[in-house]
């Protein structure tokens, strides 16, 4: 029995007074107790689809061109057409029949209301429970979503909880009225892998216990196969593939799906270069024929002998950077006047060496100290104790003048391409400024010439020189950040979660670019990320960090195949559906 | 997790630091005011004498006011007079530092042979005109100004938030547009002009309807000789006039803040829960939206106190404004200086309180200097 039917649904958004169609004739059905995964990159229309089902889009900014959405109400055994419903009737469905979980647990709960109240409110709205009963029910729900100390969470404000806990509160909220349909819009994207695993398991458990239908939206194909029965792939607002999830994952028919699968770094083999979606399909034109594709990918594989030879060469030299017993301790705020001051150890006696020309991967979950380590190297964060020796020079005791010389050689590329570029200055200015500060080239004309060369190197062009950051997409901004790091001819680049904010196919492009640049300019990288598969693809050696310590360090492939520490094993296990 | 019920060390240090800065600031203000009025090219002694011209009287006045002393000594004496703890001579009646019981309300706690250290009410000198102690004149006028400022800020808050929320809810409607027009007008109209306009329209043209008078203070005297009585009607026009600018700001601030909150993810969550719009607005939007508004307003209260001068003068509301303008008119420097210091110290105190309240209200605000 179909509990939800979307027929031929087309939707347009208003952008600067004209209407742009963002969903084209989308048709699908959801059975009772079924989990449907909707997959696509940002801008594919997947979230818009979800919001349309509950009619949560702004009525002035969006317009339904054609189509219908039908919901089958099990209580009254009636089919309800959602689109013509008035607000008042919709409110009886929202939260009670169809509930939703959103991507950002940080911002999806009201910051000024207690967690418990936010659920009691919904219960009291849709059911006839008294205040006391609603409290009891909320505590039960918190227990069901495995929150520790439910009574305490009830009284807590959202900012007092961790991201994973907040998402559990959101799930408890969505589950509170036993909805028929649960829509989860990228519920785990903002979370660490191990936390993600817990949340996915929880959704699965609740789904089978209450025989709910679930629509699970994500950009991560691996997550979908783990959780969904059927899968729907959206590309530029159109369904390109729809069917059994396992089947699509194993035998993707459409080049877009194939591209998506290929551009996530594989854990099993190592490629010279990641395929990107544009290698498969460009504006709906198929680029490579299906037969040649597999062969092409096979030709990209690096053999283990090749890699071993390369490593022999790499590690015969002296390390370029030596970190010895590095620690960083932050004093915490005192809770009370006479309580003892507490300290947070962000880095605890970390020792590591980096060899010239290698890529050292640093992987770990948020709060493990990987960013602190990266920033300490060029003293953007002052380490508390320990030594950092770069090319024989002790960095921790350098004067600010000498430190500037080191910073010229050691550059950093940050995570968020939106906030790491100054919105008020043009791309050109951003590129010229570091050269001016370090007195590179004789005048701005030469600097400009160099900037344009670099922009072209990262696949942008001269016209981009005069534009402001807000005119660029996330991937383009990250390219600009890379070009900026290259302006000073660095020898050593620290990539701090440089691709984490990007879509998979854009991520593949940026990773390829980083590798090309490394070869071209003979760079050395420290590559920091929470995503084990990305780090493994990039690195020669890989270090796993936890609680400010390095728990394991080994050649990347060996570390993955033969993890020694329990924590590394946990991390690897938490990766959704290890890629083929 | 933060629980700020117990005053922690950082907070205590923060408060002490703020108070210390407050003192330094006051010292700076006193110094500035003192030298500003001492170097002015007018002679206070002559001012006091008025029409009389004999040298002997002028010399006597000079001596009495300490104008014959070196400027450094005058400055020290001024500081000494203002400080709540001060040093005075007890025997030498001719000295400028003589502890004259008619000038000082004091408790002496350290006596020497012919001087003593006392704890006293700050002495801001006497008015040239009325010979009354300046501090008494100001203490009488200040509560009226404070009342005016508080009433107008409440007027601005209540009316402003209501209009602001309505503007946000009906964004783009005629109501929103008219409100925007008036708030731009309200922000740009100078207060003296608004005051005259309001007095003319509501207390002259429409006087029969409104029953308000163009001038009047907190207390009025009626025609039947029954003495002073409290006349709150006289508060209405000055309070509204003074409140116009903050009102306009509150409207715009509230509107933007509410619109901002309405676009937040948690409002989408609230809608997805099936809550009615009114409840989303009251329970989920207002509390978050009003935080920045209230924060901004508490900062304005201080500047309103000072900004009341014109409005008070035009409506003849006998507060600080009238005192200051009158004193300026008559070159009554001790009153002007005293008023400046009085207002500054109140601003400093309000700012300290506001800073502490922020930290207390929002435990995520860190106490750093």
């Amino acid at each position: 029995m179909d509990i939800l039917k979307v027929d031929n649904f087309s939707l347009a958004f208003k952008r600067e007074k004209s209407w742009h169609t963002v969903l084209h004739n989308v048709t699908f059905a959801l059975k009772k107790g079924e989990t449907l995964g909707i997959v696509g990159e940002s801008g594919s229309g997947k979230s818009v689809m979800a919001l349309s089902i509950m009619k949560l889009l702004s009525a002035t900014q969006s317009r339904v061109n054609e189509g219908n959405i039908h919901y089958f109400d099990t209580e009254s055994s009636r089919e309800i057409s959602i689109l013509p419903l008035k607000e008042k009737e919709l409110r009886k469905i929202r939260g009670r029949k169809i509930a939703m979980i959103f991507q950002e647990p940080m911002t999806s709960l009201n910051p000024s209301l207690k967690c418990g109240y936010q659920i009691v409110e919904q219960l009291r709205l849709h059911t006839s429970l008294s205040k006391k009963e609603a409290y009891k029910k909320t505590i039960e729900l918190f227990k069901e979503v495995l929150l520790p100390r439910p009574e305490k969470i009830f009284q807590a404000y959202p900012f007092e909880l961790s991201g994973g806990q907040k998402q559990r509160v959101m799930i408890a909220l969505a589950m509170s009225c036993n909805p028929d349909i649960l829509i989860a819009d990228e519920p785990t994207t903002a979370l660490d892998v191990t936390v993600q695993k817990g949340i996915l398991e929880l959704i699965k458990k609740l789904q089978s216990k209450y025989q709910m239908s679930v629509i699970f939206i994500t950009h991560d194909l691996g997550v979908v196969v783990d959780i969904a029965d059927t899968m729907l792939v959206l590309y530029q607002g159109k369904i390109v593939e729809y069917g059994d999830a396992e089947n699509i994952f194993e035998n993707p028919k459409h080049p877009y799906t194939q591209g998506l699968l290929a551009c996530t770094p594989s854990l099993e083999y190592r490629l010279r270069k990641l395929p990107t979606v544009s290698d498969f399909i460009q504006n709906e034109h198929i680029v490579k024929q299906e037969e040649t594709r597999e062969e092409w990918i096979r030709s990209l594989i690096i053999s283990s002998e090749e890699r071993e030879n390369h490593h022999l060469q790499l590690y015969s030299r002296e390390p370029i950077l030596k970190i010895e017993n590095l620690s960083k301790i932050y004093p915490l705020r005192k809770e009370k006047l006479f309580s003892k001051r507490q300290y947070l150890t962000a880095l605890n006696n970390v020792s590591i060496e980096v060899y010239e020309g290698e890529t050292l991967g640093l992987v770990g979950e948020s709060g493990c100290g990987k960013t602190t380590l990266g920033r300490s190297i060029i003293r953007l964060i002052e380490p508390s104790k320990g030594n950092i020796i770069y090319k024989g020079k002790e960095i921790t005791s350098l004067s600010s003048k000498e430190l500037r010389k080191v910073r010229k050689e050691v550059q950093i590329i940050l995570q968020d391409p939106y906030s790491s570029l100054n919105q008020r200055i043009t791309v050109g200015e951003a590129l010229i400024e570091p050269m001016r500060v370090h007195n590179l080239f004789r005048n701005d004309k030469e600097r400009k010439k160099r900037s344009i060369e670099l922009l072209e190197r990262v696949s942008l062009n001269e016209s981009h020189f005069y534009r402001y950051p807000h005119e660029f997409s996330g991937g383009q901004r990250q390219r600009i950040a890379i070009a900026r790091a290259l302006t000073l001819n660095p020898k050593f680049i620290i990539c701090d979660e440089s691709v984490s904010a990007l879509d998979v196919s854009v991520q593949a492009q940026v990773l390829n670019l980083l590798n090309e640049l490394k070869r071209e300019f003979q760079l050395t990288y420290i590559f920091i990320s929470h995503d084990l598969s990305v780090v493994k693809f990039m690195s020669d050696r890989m270090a796993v960090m936890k609680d400010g310590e390095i728990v394991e360090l080994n050649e990347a492939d060996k570390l993955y195949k033969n993890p020694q520490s329990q924590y590394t094993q946990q991390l690897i296990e938490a990766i959704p559906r290890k890629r083929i | 997790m933060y629980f700020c019920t117990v005053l922690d060390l950082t907070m205590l240090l923060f408060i002490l630091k703020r108070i210390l800065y407050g003192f330094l600031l006051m010292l700076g203000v006193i110094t500035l005011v003192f030298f500003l009025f001492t170097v002015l090219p007018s002679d206070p002694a002559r001012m006091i004498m008025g029409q009389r011209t004999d040298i002997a009287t002028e010399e006597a006045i000079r001596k009495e006011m300490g104008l014959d002393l070196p400027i450094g000594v005058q400055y020290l004496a001024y500081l000494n007079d203002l400080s709540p703890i001060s040093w005075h001579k007890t025997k030498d009646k001719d000295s400028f530092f003589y502890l004259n019981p008619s000038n000082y309300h004091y408790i002496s706690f350290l006596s020497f042979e012919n001087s003593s250290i006392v704890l006293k009410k700050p002495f801001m000198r006497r008015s040239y005109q009325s010979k009354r102690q300046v501090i008494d004149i100001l203490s009488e006028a200040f509560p009226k100004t404070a009342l005016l400022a508080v009433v107008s800020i409440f007027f601005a808050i209540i009316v402003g938030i209501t209009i602001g929320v309505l503007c946000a809810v009906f964004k783009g409607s005629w109501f929103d547009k008219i409100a925007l027009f008036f708030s731009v007008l309200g922000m740009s109209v100078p207060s003296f002009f608004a005051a005259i306009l309001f007095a003319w329209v509501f207390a002259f043209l429409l006087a029969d309807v409104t029953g308000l008078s163009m001038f009047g203070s907190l207390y009025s005297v009626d025609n039947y000789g029954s003495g002073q009585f409290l006349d709150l009607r006289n508060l209405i026009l000055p309070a509204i006039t003074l409140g116009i600018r903050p009102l306009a700001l509150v409207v715009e601030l509230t509107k933007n803040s509410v619109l901002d909150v309405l676009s937040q993810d948690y409002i989408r969550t609230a809608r997805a829960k099936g809550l009615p719009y009114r409840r989303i607005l009251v329970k989920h939007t207002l509390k978050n939206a009003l935080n920045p508004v209230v924060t901004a307003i508490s900062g304005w209260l201080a500047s309103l106190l000072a900004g009341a001068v014109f409005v008070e003068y035009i409506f003849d509301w006998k507060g600080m404004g009238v005192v200051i303008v009158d004193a300026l008119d008559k070159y009554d420097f001790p009153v002007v200086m005293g008023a400046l210091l009085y207002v500054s110290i109140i601003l400093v105190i309000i700012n300290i309180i506001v800073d502490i309240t922020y930290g207390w209200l929002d435990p995520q605000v860190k106490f750093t200097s």
Side-chain angles (χ1 to χ4, degrees):
Chain A
M1 183 188 57
D2 291 339
I3 197 151
L4 184 80
K5 275 191 293 191
V6 175
D7 290 316
N8 204 26
F9 185 71
S10 292
L11 185 97
F13 266 162
K14 199 176 186 175
R15 274 186 216 126
E16 285 157 17
K17 294 195 175 162
S18 63
W19 293 93
H20 296 259
T21 309
V22 289
L23 284 175
H24 302 264
N25 309 81
V26 174
T27 302
F28 67 87
L30 182 70
K31 288 193 185 60
K32 184 146 180 62
E34 179 190 38
T35 301
L36 168 75
I38 300 184
V39 189
E41 293 182 284
S42 47
S44 62
K46 54 191 196 305
S47 291
V48 176
M49 188 63 245
L51 293 170
S52 301
I53 293 170
M54 287 175 87
K55 247 186 125 179
L56 280 173
L57 291 166
S58 147
T60 50
Q61 297 299 309
S62 65
R63 183 182 74 187
V64 176
N65 287 344
E66 54 179 324
N68 277 311
I69 299 175
H70 287 282
Y71 158 70
F72 184 82
D73 186 9
T74 43
E75 230 170 311
S76 60
S77 297
R78 241 170 5 105
E79 202 173 62
I80 302 168
S81 177
I82 293 206
L83 295 176
L85 288 186
K86 294 257 166 4
E87 272 290 310
K88 207 178 152 199
E89 296 151 329
L90 279 168
R91 287 207 302 266
K92 288 181 192 150
I93 294 178
R94 289 178 187 158
R96 191 163 103 189
K97 308 284 184 187
I98 309 177
M100 202 159 171
I101 311 169
F102 299 98
Q103 171 170 9
E104 270 296 333
M106 308 297 160
T107 54
S108 296
L109 288 168
N110 191 328
S112 65
L113 296 176
K114 287 178 181 165
C115 294
Y117 176 80
Q118 305 199 28
I119 292 172
V120 169
E121 183 186 34
Q122 164 148 321
L123 281 169
R124 302 259 290 149
L125 181 78
H126 292 305
T127 65
S128 54
L129 295 181
S130 71
K131 245 183 195 167
K132 228 178 181 171
E133 289 164 334
Y135 172 81
K136 259 196 204 146
K137 169 89 180 160
T138 306
I139 299 287
E140 268 168 41
L141 283 163
F142 280 162
K143 277 184 193 149
E144 181 140 33
V145 297
L146 306 176
L147 277 165
R149 291 185 296 173
E151 288 84 5
K152 208 150 187 195
I153 301 263
F154 188 95
Q155 296 294 341
Y157 287 97
F159 81 89
E160 296 173 309
L161 305 184
S162 72
Q165 285 176 332
K166 270 184 249 192
Q167 203 58 298
R168 282 173 196 269
V169 172
M170 271 306 283
I171 294 173
L173 173 67
M175 296 300 304
S176 61
C177 298
N178 282 327
D180 289 334
I181 303 172
L182 176 71
I183 303 174
D185 186 0
E186 302 248 18
T188 57
T189 309
L191 306 173
D192 277 327
V193 267
T194 49
V195 182
Q196 162 171 299
K197 195 178 166 211
I199 298 279
L200 291 179
E201 277 165 5
L202 177 67
I203 293 178
K204 236 193 254 177
K205 192 186 89 187
L206 294 172
Q207 189 264 341
S208 63
K209 185 171 168 189
Y210 295 102
Q211 274 302 299
M212 260 188 321
S213 309
V214 176
I215 296 181
F216 195 97
I217 295 166
T218 178
H219 66 277
D220 191 336
L221 276 162
V223 170
V224 175
V225 254
D226 269 1
I227 198 164
D229 307 313
T230 46
M231 167 149 63
L232 186 156
V233 184
L234 274 178
Y235 175 56
Q236 297 181 352
K238 296 187 185 95
I239 296 184
V240 295
E241 211 147 352
Y242 177 36
D244 181 66
E246 195 69 41
N247 205 359
I248 293 177
F249 190 75
E250 298 297 338
N251 297 303
K253 293 277 175 320
H254 194 273
Y256 176 70
T257 324
Q258 291 166 343
L260 267 189
L261 275 170
C263 69
T264 36
S266 159
L267 285 162
E268 301 308 321
Y269 50 79
R270 186 171 279 278
L271 297 179
R272 215 172 298 278
K273 156 177 186 286
L274 281 176
T276 62
V277 169
S278 55
D279 287 325
F280 292 77
I281 183 168
Q282 258 170 0
N283 292 326
E284 302 181 45
H285 295 294
I286 295 165
V287 177
K288 271 199 178 62
Q289 282 314 311
E290 215 165 333
E291 305 79 55
T292 58
R293 247 177 246 150
E294 212 158 298
E295 205 176 311
W296 174 63
I297 290 183
R298 214 169 288 137
S299 72
L300 292 174
I301 297 179
I302 304 175
S303 68
S304 51
E305 294 96 63
E306 191 185 338
R307 194 166 154 85
E308 266 166 38
N309 286 337
H310 175 64
H311 281 176
L312 274 180
Q313 224 179 15
L314 261 185
Y315 298 120
S316 61
R317 284 176 252 173
E318 273 293 293
I320 186 173
L321 177 77
K322 267 197 229 172
I323 294 171
E324 289 165 357
N325 301 322
L326 196 71
S327 293
K328 175 71 194 175
I329 294 164
Y330 290 103
L332 294 180
R333 216 179 122 198
K334 278 195 186 181
E335 296 274 322
K336 286 175 195 159
L337 183 53
F338 297 109
S339 62
K340 224 177 138 192
R341 191 178 280 287
Q342 306 264 307
Y343 293 92
L344 175 83
T345 312
L347 286 178
N348 189 8
N349 275 323
V350 172
S351 299
I352 201 167
E353 287 171 349
V354 187
Y355 292 83
E356 192 165 358
E358 87 165 325
T359 300
L360 175 76
L362 270 183
V363 69
E365 296 182 290
S366 47
C368 73
K370 53 191 196 302
T371 294
T372 311
L373 180 60
R375 294 190 182 178
S376 300
I377 293 172
I378 48 175
R379 277 171 62 191
L380 290 177
I381 293 173
E382 283 295 335
S384 308
K385 73 175 207 283
N387 303 316
I388 304 164
I389 299 154
Y390 175 75
K391 285 189 175 167
K393 255 185 259 167
E394 170 63 60
I395 289 190
T396 46
S397 58
L398 288 185
S399 67
S400 60
K401 205 174 156 193
E402 288 168 308
L403 183 63
R404 268 181 43 181
K405 273 190 208 150
V406 172
R407 282 188 183 161
K408 178 173 164 280
E409 271 189 35
V410 184
Q411 285 287 307
I412 192 161
I413 302 170
L414 301 168
Q415 169 171 15
D416 189 350
Y418 292 90
S419 57
S420 62
L421 290 172
N422 189 336
Q423 301 294 317
R424 307 235 171 250
I425 64 175
T426 60
V427 168
E429 264 305 299
L431 292 176
I432 286 180
E433 191 188 26
M435 291 193 259
R436 209 183 278 150
V437 170
H438 287 278
N439 263 325
L440 253 64
F441 299 103
R442 264 171 308 175
N443 51 39
D444 276 3
K445 213 173 146 195
E446 287 180 26
R447 290 182 191 126
K448 186 182 161 190
K449 206 178 127 224
R450 172 73 179 151
S451 306
I452 290 168
E453 274 170 29
L454 284 170
L455 279 179
E456 280 165 0
R457 185 61 202 82
V458 297
S459 311
L460 296 169
N461 60 49
E462 193 177 344
S463 69
H464 295 129
F465 185 85
Y466 304 98
R467 302 226 195 126
Y468 286 90
H470 71 88
E471 298 173 63
F472 295 92
S473 70
Q476 285 174 320
R477 283 181 209 220
Q478 205 55 295
R479 287 166 192 278
I480 295 166
I482 292 171
R484 181 177 59 181
L486 290 173
T487 51
L488 299 173
N489 302 317
K491 286 275 153 268
F492 196 109
I493 295 183
I494 299 159
C495 306
D496 187 1
E497 298 267 15
S498 305
V499 294
S500 306
L502 307 175
D503 266 330
V504 268
S505 63
V506 182
Q507 166 181 297
Q509 289 166 11
V510 173
L511 292 177
N512 287 340
L513 174 68
L514 284 171
N515 274 337
E516 284 164 30
L517 293 171
K518 186 184 161 192
R519 276 194 293 276
E520 197 175 317
F521 297 99
Q522 273 119 45
L523 300 169
T524 307
Y525 285 155
I526 288 186
F527 190 89
I528 301 171
S529 175
H530 67 281
D531 187 336
L532 201 133
S533 52
V534 170
V535 176
K536 181 181 167 289
F537 166 73
M538 291 296 284
S539 325
D540 295 302
R541 288 183 309 153
M542 183 155 92
V544 180
M545 282 191 81
K546 183 180 191 259
D547 300 334
E549 288 176 36
I550 291 181
V551 291
E552 197 164 353
L553 169 69
N554 205 344
E555 200 278 320
D557 290 345
K558 284 182 194 142
L559 188 132
Y560 171 70
K561 288 218 174 77
N562 202 359
Q564 296 300 308
S565 80
Q566 206 194 342
Y567 180 66
T568 316
Q569 286 164 14
Q570 269 176 29
L571 271 187
I572 292 172
E573 257 163 50
I575 300 174
R577 184 57 72 97
K578 295 173 201 152
R579 280 108 194 171
I580 343 147
Chain B
M1 288 189 211
Y2 301 94
F3 294 104
C4 243
T5 42
V6 182
L7 207 64
D8 64 44
L9 187 66
T10 356
M11 177 133 172
L12 204 68
L13 277 177
F14 170 80
I15 294 172
L16 284 177
K17 219 180 235 175
R18 288 306 319 235
I19 291 174
L20 182 72
Y21 284 144
F23 266 112
L24 289 177
L25 195 65
M26 278 317 295
L27 191 66
V29 173
I30 292 170
T31 312
L32 197 72
V33 166
F34 175 81
F35 284 103
L36 202 66
F37 284 89
T38 318
V39 298
L40 276 184
S42 63
D43 188 346
R46 293 205 69 95
M47 298 286 166
I48 292 178
M49 285 169 53
Q51 298 299 316
R52 287 178 297 163
T53 49
D54 60 311
I55 299 277
T57 325
E58 192 181 322
E59 284 306 311
I61 292 172
R62 270 179 190 287
K63 188 154 175 56
E64 187 198 318
M65 294 177 64
L67 293 174
D68 55 339
L69 296 169
I71 195 155
V73 179
Q74 282 187 47
Y75 173 63
L76 283 181
Y78 193 57
L79 280 183
N80 199 36
D81 277 351
L82 290 175
S83 161
I85 298 170
S86 55
W87 170 86
H88 294 275
K89 293 187 174 171
T90 41
K91 299 232 173 82
D92 183 4
K93 285 198 179 180
D94 288 337
S95 164
F96 194 57
F97 287 92
Y98 175 62
L99 190 61
N100 188 344
S102 67
N103 285 345
Y104 306 104
H105 288 277
Y106 65 91
I107 313 161
S108 83
F109 63 88
L110 252 184
S111 293
F112 304 107
E113 195 182 334
N114 47 15
S115 65
S116 70
I117 291 176
V118 300
L119 188 69
K120 67 163 199 305
K121 184 170 147 192
F123 175 51
M124 286 180 166
R125 307 285 160 87
R126 285 172 183 279
S127 158
Y128 294 165
Q129 297 296 319
S130 62
K131 305 283 184 244
R132 287 178 65 202
Q133 281 221 18
V134 169
I135 199 159
D136 293 339
I137 299 175
L138 296 176
S139 302
E140 206 171 275
F142 178 74
K144 290 177 191 154
T145 301
L147 178 72
L148 183 60
V150 168
V151 169
S152 57
I153 215 86
F154 269 101
F155 160 73
I157 291 174
I158 292 163
V159 180
I161 287 177
T162 317
I163 297 178
V165 170
L166 289 175
C167 282
V169 172
F170 302 106
K171 190 182 165 237
S173 67
W174 58 267
F175 178 81
D176 180 27
K177 282 170 188 153
I178 291 173
L180 178 68
F181 172 76
F182 277 106
S183 55
V184 170
L185 200 68
M187 271 185 256
S188 42
V189 165
S191 57
F192 58 86
F193 180 72
I196 294 168
L197 192 75
F198 271 57
W200 181 59
V201 173
F202 294 105
F204 182 74
L205 293 182
L206 303 174
D208 293 342
V209 187
T210 59
L212 298 172
S213 54
M214 284 180 81
F215 315 109
S217 196
L218 190 54
Y219 294 95
S220 295
V221 188
D222 65 12
N223 296 335
Y224 310 106
S226 40
Q228 273 194 339
F229 63 94
L230 193 66
D231 195 352
L232 284 175
R233 274 184 317 165
N234 285 337
L235 188 59
I236 297 172
L237 281 180
I240 290 178
T241 317
L242 193 60
I244 284 183
R245 189 186 296 263
L247 171 70
L249 289 166
V250 170
V251 168
E252 286 309 297
L253 213 62
T254 310
K255 179 186 155 188
N256 290 332
S257 183
V258 168
L259 284 177
D260 181 54
V261 171
L262 282 177
S263 70
Q264 295 290 319
D265 287 351
Y266 54 83
I267 297 301
R268 191 181 54 188
T269 308
R271 290 180 61 211
K273 277 157 87 170
L275 296 179
Y277 190 68
R278 183 183 301 234
R279 191 173 173 86
I280 293 177
L281 204 62
V282 174
K283 196 82 202 182
H284 289 261
T285 312
L286 279 189
K287 196 176 171 198
N288 291 305
L290 293 188
N291 270 342
V293 180
V294 171
T295 311
I297 293 169
S298 51
W300 301 336
L301 188 65
S303 59
L304 256 196
L305 286 177
V309 173
F310 291 117
V311 175
E312 282 187 3
Y313 191 67
I314 287 164
F315 288 102
D316 199 29
W317 180 264
K318 300 251 175 347
M320 296 287 274
V322 172
V323 170
I324 292 175
V325 177
D326 275 345
L328 273 174
D329 194 37
K330 288 161 184 149
Y331 297 96
D332 199 346
F333 290 154
V335 176
V336 180
M337 288 162 83
L340 282 175
L341 296 182
Y342 204 94
V343 172
S344 331
I345 196 150
I346 280 160
L347 292 192
V348 168
I349 292 170
I350 288 181
N351 277 330
I352 292 175
I353 294 172
V354 166
D355 279 352
I356 294 168
T357 335
Y358 286 170
W360 183 68
L361 280 179
D362 186 356
Q364 281 174 299
V365 171
K366 293 221 168 62
F367 292 108
T368 46
S369 44

